[in-house]
Amino acid sequence: MSEVKLTGSLRTDFGKGAARQARRANLTPTVIYGHGQDPKHVNVEAHALMMALKTPNVLISLDIEGDGTELVIPKAVQRHPLKPVINHVDFLVVKKGEKVTVEVPVHAEGELAAGGNLLEHVLNTLSVEAEATHLPEAVTVSVAGLEAGASVHAKDVTLPAGVTLVTDADAVVLQVLAAQAEEPAAEAAEGSEEA
């Protein structure tokens, strides 16, 4: 995974008013913590940050004006409930070679066996541990040819090299549900007339 380079500036004003003022200036308030250091409050350019966060578990090299560069991953992202805007981000400081636990999206590929069965995503993400500089963006599970009643457990998911599973190995990730037979419309109408 490649690093995304962003720039930021230290914040000295705090509270709702300061956060709103930063957002009006197209900046997103963030906080950086980890490795026993005091938290740093930083404003980051909003659009560049939003584009970077489109990649799950992105590794960001954050150049802070007058304070050096920090290697961080997003830990918590607060989004506006109505607008496509990020209100605040918590970043975790990481070091090269360090292992971290992250949530990785699960993608299904392939066609189910014939019969109109449905695929249910019981878990949309898996918790995994990996080196901070080699975090997977997603894991892919093949569901080709699975019949109704079949399920895929966390231990059945193939993980990239150097990635270990944290989620319970017996947890169901995907399952195939049998298609529900629909009652013909004519029979349904007759049944309601008799009632």
Side-chain angles (χ1 to χ4, degrees), residues 130-151:
E131 190 178 319
T133 55
H134 295 90
L135 297 175
E137 291 182 19
V139 291
T140 304
V141 179
S142 175
V143 295
L146 291 182
E147 303 277 345
S151 59

Side-chain angles (χ1 to χ4, degrees), residues 2-3 9 20 58 61 64 70 78 87 95 117-119 121 124 126 142 152-153 157 164 166 180:
S2 61
E3 293 178 19
S9 57
R20 286 184 182 136
V58 65
S61 176
I64 304 164
E70 296 279 6
Q78 296 173 7
N87 284 342
K95 305 286 183 205
N117 297 325
L118 302 172
L119 180 65
H121 287 257
N124 291 319
L126 286 179
S142 175
V152 176
H153 294 87
V157 177
T164 55
V166 176
Q180 299 293 319

